[in-house]
Amino acid sequence: MYSISQLANLLDLSTYTLRYYEREQIVKPDRNSQGNRVYSDLHLQWLQFVLKLKEAQMPIVQIKKYAQYVMEGEHTAEARLNLLQAHRDFIQQQIESLNATDHVLEAKIAGYKKKIEQKQSSACETNMKN
């Protein structure tokens, strides 16, 4: 079991962020007899997944919807699947777009390198003649 500060350290988050996730109903920590938040390994794994979704640019609204489906139970499996597939499609489109941009940049970089090499070559030839 982890306190909020321990979990925050493990996830490299602030305690404020964990409280925000709780307010947004993305995570529901347990409480000890003193009323303090207590997190289990399952909470840790869940939040690691949430952070991956966030890293993959899933909007917080969709993360909240996914969390709601999880908390509702197994009967939401199809809805969860659809949500994740839609986001994966978005990621694939982003990858394709980034690859296309990378190709354009690579061609532009190659062009500049060629111009610079030609300029340096011309300068060397001019220096040799002088």
Side-chain angles (χ1 to χ4, degrees), residues 1-3 7 10-11 13 18 21-22 26-31 37-51 71:
M1 297 302 252
Y2 307 100
S3 69
L7 189 67
L10 285 171
L11 294 169
L13 296 174
L18 289 174
Y21 286 163
E22 182 181 356
I26 293 170
V27 66
K28 186 178 180 188
D30 299 324
R31 299 282 180 159
R37 292 169 180 86
V38 181
Y39 298 88
S40 68
D41 286 330
L42 290 175
H43 290 111
L44 174 63
Q45 292 167 7
W46 166 248
L47 286 166
Q48 287 170 330
F49 180 67
V50 166
L51 293 175
M71 289 179 196

Side-chain angles (χ1 to χ4, degrees), residues 99-112:
N99 282 331
T101 301
D102 185 52
H103 290 301
V104 170
L105 289 173
E106 192 60 41
K108 189 60 94 171
I109 289 167
Y112 281 121

Side-chain angles (χ1 to χ4, degrees), residues 53-106:
L53 294 176
K54 188 172 178 253
E55 185 180 316
Q57 300 178 356
M58 181 179 275
I60 196 73
V61 171
Q62 285 184 299
I63 294 172
K64 284 173 59 172
K65 182 175 286 260
Y66 184 81
Q68 178 185 352
Y69 289 150
V70 169
M71 289 179 196
E72 286 179 20
E74 285 304 310
H75 70 279
T76 65
E78 189 172 340
R80 287 184 266 167
L81 173 65
N82 292 336
L83 194 147
L84 291 178
Q85 284 178 326
H87 193 67
R88 188 186 61 195
D89 291 345
F90 167 78
I91 291 169
Q92 292 300 321
Q93 291 170 353
Q94 293 296 100
I95 290 169
E96 289 172 17
S97 177
L98 287 170
N99 282 331
T101 301
D102 185 52
H103 290 301
V104 170
L105 289 173
E106 192 60 41

